[in-house]
Amino acid sequence: MLLVLEQQVSLASARAAFDRLVAAVGVLTPAAVLALDDAELRAIGFSRQKAGYARDLARAVLSGSLDLDALAGLPDDDVRAALTSLRGIGPWTADVYLTMALRRPDAFPHGDLALLVSVQRVKRLDARPTPLKLVELAEPWRPHRATAARILWHAYLSDRARP
């Protein structure tokens, strides 16, 4: 649910909304998310669109059409396919899930804005790389691109924390 909230917003905004969600439901379960009405989700910080995505995700998990436990045993491409089959779950969300939730060593969310900004600074590039250029730049880091992503995210957050 946090990854849905993190799409196209700051980490702080997403975390605040997630914390309000947990405060509203107590234990975060698919049934608890589905029990919230539109007004409650909006008050928590969900846009109308993200509320729909969250409900779709909750329904898929509740029905068993998305088995989160089974994803751990699937190859990366199959995890991506399973996740992106859901409305509102795109390549960025799937790759971040592979990186952070499943701890896949070579997952690399090459479309992540923080990674693009961080690589520009770390590599002293004149311009921010495109996601496709980032794939090329990250090729030497295989099979440990997830470690590189974590280091780059840390660098990005450290830069932003400086006055």
Side-chain angles (χ1 to χ4, degrees):
M1 204 57 58
L2 180 58
L3 291 178
V4 170
L5 288 167
E6 285 181 348
Q7 295 169 357
Q8 301 177 339
V9 299
S10 72
L11 293 176
S13 295
R15 173 52 67 181
F18 184 77
D19 290 346
R20 287 191 297 271
L21 175 62
V22 171
V25 299
V27 177
L28 184 57
T29 65
V33 171
L34 292 172
L36 298 171
D37 64 26
D38 288 343
E40 290 168 314
L41 287 171
R42 295 284 296 204
I44 287 167
F46 283 82
S47 67
R48 183 179 49 79
Q49 193 170 24
K50 285 186 182 180
Y53 299 160
R55 284 191 177 105
D56 286 354
L57 175 60
R59 282 187 202 102
V61 171
L62 203 54
S63 73
S65 64
L66 178 65
D67 183 346
L68 295 175
D69 292 331
L71 293 180
L74 296 177
D76 291 356
D77 286 340
D78 292 347
V79 172
R80 283 186 194 94
L83 292 173
T84 59
S85 70
L86 296 171
R87 186 174 65 103
I89 306 291
W92 176 86
T93 306
D95 284 339
V96 173
Y97 187 84
L98 282 163
T99 305
M100 301 306 285
L102 297 182
R103 304 275 189 210
R104 297 296 172 88
D106 201 42
F108 193 72
H110 62 279
D112 185 81
L113 180 60
L115 291 181
L116 297 167
V117 169
S118 190
V119 165
Q120 179 185 2
R121 187 189 66 74
V122 168
K123 290 196 162 282
R124 295 183 172 94
L125 303 175
D126 291 332
R128 185 183 308 155
T130 65
L132 289 177
K133 179 65 175 174
L134 184 55
V135 169
E136 179 185 315
L137 291 169
E139 190 59 32
W141 304 333
R142 279 186 185 273
H144 303 288
R145 292 180 303 167
T147 300
R150 288 184 191 91
I151 291 167
L152 290 164
W153 279 326
H154 180 74
Y156 174 84
L157 294 172
S158 295
D159 286 347
R160 293 185 58 90
R162 290 190 185 120

